[in-house]
Amino acid sequence: MRVDADLREMRGVPEGQLVDWVSRRFPDGTPPQWWLSIFESLEVSATPFRDVAPDRRSEDLNLAAEAILLAVKPGGVRPAIGAYWMLRIAALALRIDPPVSGLPQILTPDGSAEWALQQIPLTHERAIAESETRRDEYLNAGEGFYAPVGGEVTLASEVAFSGLQDVELILSALAWVCSHVKDERIECEIRAWLEIQGDL
């Protein structure tokens, strides 16, 4: 995949028209690996440790947010992975000094956290119940908990617990922006999730 060339082209696509460009680039559907490569490339480009013009940094952060939203919509990337990356990019933006102006609401601590919370696929109760089931299965199955699938060793219950794994992924990233969230409602919801994180 020609990620570098694609990224150069994407930077020239007018805002709001990225969906058309991606559809032309991948008429049969966009590979999730391509999206992840794009996210990583934009993260590296916008990092505060690189000497980048402020306008370019702002454009790349905006493009990252647009790409993440687009990647999740058609189902190319799981919502939890999109949430993880949105929080990661929002946390990156917090480290840039002077602050980047003109960022979309979804890249603020409040905006990224609120969107990420909406991507959590389970309730608190369901997450705890699934975690207890996974723990019991692990204790009872011993080495049988790991089973060869398609030539690779994976968790025997990996598919069944994908929702729980998504919860854990999002919670691991929410901590990066939690202390910067200003909206009390969003902060309370984050803290309620983080309080049960140790039980998962």
Side-chain angles (χ1 to χ4, degrees), residues 128-147:
I128 290 171
E130 288 201 10
S131 176
E132 289 171 354
T133 301
R134 179 176 64 182
R135 195 174 298 115
D136 291 344
E137 183 176 309
Y138 174 74
L139 291 173
N140 294 328
E143 290 184 16
F145 191 68
Y146 296 92

Side-chain angles (χ1 to χ4, degrees), residues 123-177:
T123 63
H124 292 201
E125 295 76 15
R126 182 65 187 267
I128 290 171
E130 288 201 10
S131 176
E132 289 171 354
T133 301
R134 179 176 64 182
R135 195 174 298 115
D136 291 344
E137 183 176 309
Y138 174 74
L139 291 173
N140 294 328
E143 290 184 16
F145 191 68
Y146 296 92
V149 177
E152 297 179 8
V153 176
T154 59
L155 292 175
S157 57
E158 184 174 349
V159 175
F161 292 109
S162 63
L164 181 57
Q165 291 165 349
D166 285 351
V167 170
E168 292 169 329
L169 180 64
I170 294 171
L171 296 188
S172 72
L174 274 170
W176 300 334
V177 300

Side-chain angles (χ1 to χ4, degrees), residues 36-48:
L36 296 177
S37 296
I38 291 295
F39 303 161
E40 289 171 5
S41 296
L42 287 166
E43 179 187 43
V44 169
S45 175
T47 183

